[in-house]
Amino acid sequence: MKIVKRFLVSLMATAVSASSLSVIPSVSAASGKYKTYSYYFDVPANTYVKTCNANTSYNPNNVEFVRKGKEKFVNSADLGGTFNVSNIGVTDSLKRTYIEYSNASPTNKEGNLGYVTLKTTSTIPSFIVTLVKNDRGNTLVTSTVKVNRVLMGDVNLDGIVDVKDVELLNKACMGTASLNKSQLRAADVDGNNQFDSTDSLNILKYVQGIKDSVCD
């Protein structure tokens, strides 16, 4: 069964790669409306993070909330707990997204508290971590939680979403290329905690201008 599935993925990835070469030879970089970024809240080992609060402010006319999630990728540990996100409109031109993480049984593992995805047509929002506490109730420095921002669809991490990202992802789908953690995050544009030819096709459609955002 695994062999059949691998063969089907190979066929689909090859088809997408062929499409990228034949359908859009003149398009090199994304022509979609939005750039989409995921913000991963990561912690090192032996920190036992029990509570974390963070927020960002932005103009809702230029920035939209896409989704939140818990990362369950290979090479990354989901540290458990609850990862809540609230989007609050302050004025017509100001909105805030609040992050509240809590874990009744924090562990000593390195891993991810959760992630938030936003899409923007202008300024890239930045999250500010405002509070971090451990299992003993001690307040830790806010830099304990690192917010790693990833441009979604930028599989080769060169700062641009283009056909090269589609080609690299196709190779990864076929098992002829490997992806590191940041590349895995950038590749998972549909947010299902895996990468496959569906992600590759979504990136391709974005590059072509068929989709205005690489993430739905």
Side-chain angles (χ1 to χ4, degrees), residues 41-59:
F41 294 79
D42 297 322
V43 297
N46 300 314
T47 48
Y48 295 89
V49 172
K50 182 175 183 178
T51 303
C52 175
N53 294 342
N55 68 77
T56 186
S57 300
Y58 51 85
N59 186 335

Side-chain angles (χ1 to χ4, degrees), residues 65-123:
F65 174 82
V66 178
R67 61 175 173 249
K68 63 144 187 169
K70 297 280 285 180
E71 186 178 34
K72 297 177 182 177
F73 248 138
V74 238
N75 303 328
S76 181
D78 172 10
L79 298 180
T82 59
F83 186 78
N84 295 320
V85 178
S86 303
N87 297 297
I88 300 173
V90 181
T91 65
D92 289 343
S93 59
L94 180 64
K95 196 168 189 176
R96 289 197 179 100
T97 293
Y98 291 94
I99 306 300
E100 294 182 340
Y101 172 82
S102 62
N103 191 343
S105 303
T107 75
N108 64 343
K109 294 180 181 178
E110 172 186 357
N112 178 255
L113 307 180
Y115 72 86
V116 174
T117 303
L118 303 173
K119 61 183 183 180
T120 178
T121 58
S122 58
T123 306

Side-chain angles (χ1 to χ4, degrees), residues 14-31:
T14 303
V16 173
S17 181
S19 174
S20 71
L21 295 175
S22 62
V23 178
I24 53 167
S26 61
V27 178
S28 59
S31 54

